[in-house]
Amino acid sequence: MEIRDEDKSNDDVQELSLTDKFSKLFSLLEHCNEDEQRKKIGEMNEIIDGMNKEEFLYVFTTELFNKMDKMIEENKLTIENSILLTKYVGYCYVLKNMWSSGFNHSELRRRFERMILEEEKKKEEKNENLLVGLCESYLSLKNLLSSELLSICIYYLLKAALNKEESEEAQKDVEMVLLALSNIWQSDILFSYFEHFFKNYFS
């Protein structure tokens, strides 16, 4: 006699939540090469788009950012791909007004700070694309900065925004840059840096 599994009703088949989908993809990152990581991060960013505030804050904790830092340290996640993810997280932070202190207390925040300062101090072979990505992620995820970091981030982000081509993709990048800048709470300091930047940039 043939035994067949009974058909399961839709009620019995529960779809993974957005937080579970994100966590599953995140757990696979350290087992992927750089191109595969980039593809999965693209899928993760789409999931982030659909998250509500509770889901968003549940996922993006200090523990998650610390995990990212450890993966970078162990060469299981490239810094470029970490920026690809954190930049979009920061974009959603600002766009959806969903601030969290998870990044502020993380080792990833300290790593980004060190890298920004070290890259800025280079006299030759300065990687401005890397610097812009670091600044954009950092500025959108952290709202209170030291004067030194604030000065560096504003300069390179404004420079990047002004130098972008007029393609659809470039305009999206500009939007993300400007949103990162809008996350600065020290408005009086921000205005003085804007004034200083434009005087020097267009002189």
Side-chain angles (χ1 to χ4, degrees):
M1 179 178 178
E2 183 179 359
I3 300 176
R4 297 180 180 177
D5 292 333
E6 294 182 0
D7 293 335
K8 293 184 178 180
S9 67
N10 291 334
D11 293 337
D12 294 329
V13 181
Q14 295 184 351
E15 185 178 353
L16 287 176
S17 67
L18 292 179
T19 57
D20 287 338
K21 287 179 180 179
F22 182 92
S23 298
K24 183 176 180 180
L25 285 170
F26 184 83
S27 68
L28 296 173
L29 286 180
E30 59 185 318
H31 306 294
C32 299
N33 62 36
E34 186 173 356
D35 290 338
E36 291 170 337
Q37 283 182 355
R38 192 175 297 112
K39 182 179 178 180
K40 291 194 183 307
I41 288 172
E43 295 175 28
M44 292 160 73
N45 288 345
E46 290 180 5
I47 292 172
I48 294 171
D49 274 336
M51 288 182 179
N52 59 35
K53 186 173 184 178
E54 289 72 24
E55 291 168 329
F56 194 86
L57 299 182
Y58 177 81
V59 168
F60 296 105
T61 61
T62 299
E63 288 74 20
L64 182 129
F65 290 117
N66 282 342
K67 174 66 175 175
M68 288 181 65
D69 182 73
K70 185 176 180 181
M71 290 165 66
I72 295 169
E73 184 70 25
E74 296 176 348
N75 295 317
K76 294 179 179 178
L77 176 66
T78 66
I79 189 65
E80 290 80 10
N81 282 343
S82 73
I83 290 171
L84 187 62
L85 177 56
T86 53
K87 186 165 67 172
Y88 200 77
V89 174
Y91 172 76
C92 289
Y93 260 27
V94 181
L95 187 65
K96 299 183 179 183
N97 193 25
M98 299 189 297
W99 186 81
S100 166
S101 61
F103 179 78
N104 286 349
H105 302 299
S106 70
E107 293 301 319
L108 186 63
R109 186 265 298 174
R110 296 180 180 90
R111 177 182 295 275
F112 280 12
E113 287 176 346
R114 290 194 304 272
M115 292 186 69
I116 290 170
L117 294 172
E118 290 170 1
E119 197 66 36
E120 164 61 14
K121 289 176 182 177
K122 290 182 179 179
K123 300 298 183 183
E124 298 178 358
E125 299 182 356
K126 185 179 296 184
N127 188 338
E128 288 201 13
N129 286 334
L130 174 63
L131 197 48
V132 167
L134 287 166
C135 288
E136 191 174 340
S137 292
Y138 183 75
L139 199 60
S140 58
L141 290 169
K142 192 177 191 316
N143 48 40
L144 294 175
L145 290 74
S146 68
S147 296
E148 183 178 15
L149 281 165
L150 185 61
S151 177
I152 295 170
C153 288
I154 290 175
Y155 176 81
Y156 284 101
L157 291 186
L158 283 175
K159 185 178 179 182
L162 290 170
N163 288 340
K164 285 292 183 182
E165 300 174 0
E166 295 185 0
S167 66
E168 183 176 345
E169 182 179 355
Q171 290 306 308
K172 179 68 173 181
D173 288 340
V174 170
E175 179 187 350
M176 293 177 76
V177 165
L178 294 177
L179 272 172
L181 286 168
S182 75
N183 197 42
I184 300 172
W185 289 9
Q186 302 111 305
S187 57
D188 53 336
I189 299 175
L190 179 60
F191 178 79
S192 67
Y193 278 120
F194 276 179
E195 186 178 35
H196 176 74
F197 174 86
F198 284 112
K199 280 182 179 178
N200 285 276
Y201 191 86
F202 292 109
S203 61

